[in-house]
Amino acid sequence: MDLADLTTLRLGGPARSIIEATTEEHLLEAVRIADEAGDPLLVVGGGSNLVVADAGVDATVVRVLTRGVRVDADACSGAMVTVAAGEPWDEVVARAVTEGWVGVEALSGIPGSTGATPIQNVGAYGQEVSQTVATVRAYDRFDRKIRTIHAVDCGFGYRHSRFKAEPHRWVVLTAAFQFALGELGAPVAYAELARTLGVEIGQRAPAKEVREAVLALRRGKGMVLDPADHDTWSAGSFFTNPLLGPEQAAALPEGAPRFTQPDGSVKTSAAWLIDHAGFGKGYGTPSVALSTKHALALTNRGNGTTEQLLALAREVRDGVRAAYGITLVNEPVLVGCAL
Ligand code: EPU
């Protein structure tokens, strides 16, 4: 099996071996055996955030396929929901909406596994998992111990966490979410979503409607997996949105989105910069191209290679730097290759 079979980009060569861990014991055993032998290890969840070299990886790949959801709910304190790392994230969101667990409805339609969500503090449409994660149970490969890490100690930031900062240290086993209960979703915090729902920012709407609206918005941007649609053969946003200091922000061209952050920095839109630097939707070759629905997704048109995809990523990054002096940083994890 090639890694191409395990990634949403459908790119990447073979691994040394591939282990499918369906129980936590099996997962821990596979990690311990590799660590004790000094073998390189690649832990794979849904494969939606991975760019793997065409030559593959000289590593043991462990697929996290653990399942299980434990619910502790009571009317006063809400629901504490503990989810095995291998549970598909969108199934958790769908269940949350059905059960009235508030706070992840805007994270509908995101591919990948639940265990991956705290690693890059998955976010979309005004929500981030850091707002509902209570604890993360993870295996610490350095100390060879299972640890329970409270949200405050997870180092959450924009698409960031301590798990992402030390990728060779942590294997997420379960994530526990603390949800308020109710039929209404959390206050809507994203302008485009508020417009779609016909509410103001800060107002609430039924969680079911929020989920439907988000799924529709994401589909329109090619961000809901569909094997028949090459625009979805991607790793989602290929670059993070740049956070700029005051000087850089002042130098942004007119019309560029500007979102002032609590710390005073300004977030702009990578998609906007790419689009306006001359790389419109669909830019590329018949093999690899920007999605025809969103300039920030680099896609495999079916016969692409990782090398071609990276060449396109470099071209876009260098073009944006030449036009605006801003260096875009990749969001997906690159394995065996570099930008
Ligand atoms: N835009 C363009 N051209 C395009 C697309 C967008 O100019 O082709 C401009 C528009 O001005 C638009 C702005 O970019 O208003 C922002 O676009 P969008 O609302 O789609 O959001 P984004 O900043 O591109 C981020 C996340 C997405 C998340 C959406 C919605 C990052 C890197 N990306 O995208 O997350 O779904 O917001 O919240 O933070 C992901 O991380 O993989 C991902 C898909």
Side-chain angles (χ1 to χ4, degrees):
M1 195 193 286
D2 276 358
L3 269 298
D5 301 313
L6 304 181
T7 59
T8 52
L9 268 167
R10 294 171 176 75
L11 295 176
R16 201 188 272 192
S17 64
I18 298 183
I19 297 171
E20 310 213 321
T22 52
T23 65
E24 194 172 296
E25 293 68 35
H26 193 186
L27 172 59
L28 287 167
E29 183 192 52
V31 173
R32 285 186 181 129
I33 289 173
D35 284 353
E36 267 155 38
D39 288 341
L41 182 76
L42 174 65
V43 179
V44 176
S48 57
N49 205 42
L50 277 186
V51 181
V52 181
D54 295 311
V57 279
D58 186 21
T60 301
V61 167
V62 181
R63 293 184 73 192
V64 181
L65 298 173
T66 54
R67 302 295 296 255
V69 177
R70 203 183 68 235
V71 183
D72 277 306
D74 75 63
C76 297
S77 53
M80 177 69 103
V81 180
T82 306
V83 185
E87 284 284 339
W89 171 249
D90 196 49
E91 291 181 20
V92 175
V93 175
R95 179 155 175 206
V97 168
T98 309
E99 306 254 1
W101 305 335
V102 178
V104 287
E105 56 285 343
L107 301 177
S108 291
I110 294 177
S113 61
T114 303
T117 63
I119 297 176
Q120 62 155 339
N121 184 16
V122 159
Y125 296 98
Q127 288 178 357
E128 293 183 338
V129 290
S130 62
Q131 294 165 324
T132 39
V133 165
T135 58
V136 174
R137 236 176 94 257
Y139 178 65
D140 179 344
R141 294 169 63 197
F142 291 1
D143 289 348
R144 301 184 178 205
K145 274 192 187 124
I146 294 174
R147 296 189 186 283
T148 297
I149 299 159
H150 289 266
V152 284
D153 297 320
C154 286
F156 287 130
Y158 167 59
R159 293 293 191 281
H160 200 71
S161 74
R162 69 185 289 183
F163 313 110
K164 187 162 175 178
E166 293 182 300
H168 300 295
R169 179 162 186 183
W170 303 104
V171 179
V172 174
L173 302 174
T174 57
F177 297 83
Q178 174 73 53
F179 297 118
L181 301 177
E183 264 183 42
L184 296 180
V188 174
Y190 200 81
E192 188 184 28
L193 178 59
R195 271 198 306 277
T196 309
L197 288 163
V199 302
E200 298 295 319
I201 292 257
Q203 286 186 325
R204 303 175 65 180
K208 281 198 177 75
E209 286 175 28
V210 176
R211 175 168 169 80
E212 289 313 314
V214 167
L215 286 173
L217 284 172
R218 291 190 68 96
R219 275 197 199 97
K221 297 179 189 181
M223 296 287 184
V224 178
L225 295 186
D226 174 1
D229 180 358
H230 283 300
D231 279 334
T232 74
W233 291 32
S234 78
S237 299
F238 197 89
F239 298 103
T240 51
N241 286 327
L243 286 165
L244 309 175
E247 264 172 47
Q248 267 187 315
L252 276 174
E254 214 186 296
R258 292 174 171 79
F259 306 100
T260 304
Q261 303 299 298
D263 67 357
S265 65
V266 173
K267 194 191 266 183
T268 189
S269 161
W272 190 97
L273 295 175
I274 291 168
D275 224 341
H276 289 76
F279 307 102
K281 299 183 183 78
Y283 179 91
T285 70
S287 305
V288 294
L290 305 186
S291 157
T292 69
K293 303 186 183 78
H294 201 290
L296 194 48
L298 271 64
T299 64
N300 171 9
R301 308 315 292 182
N303 57 351
T305 65
T306 302
E307 208 30 68
Q308 291 169 337
L309 190 92
L310 292 172
L312 176 63
R314 287 180 203 117
E315 187 186 350
V316 167
R317 179 199 58 191
D318 296 348
V320 167
R321 185 162 47 205
Y324 301 116
I326 294 170
T327 304
L328 297 177
V329 175
N330 57 289
E331 194 234 41
V333 175
L334 308 185
V335 179
C337 52
L339 260 196

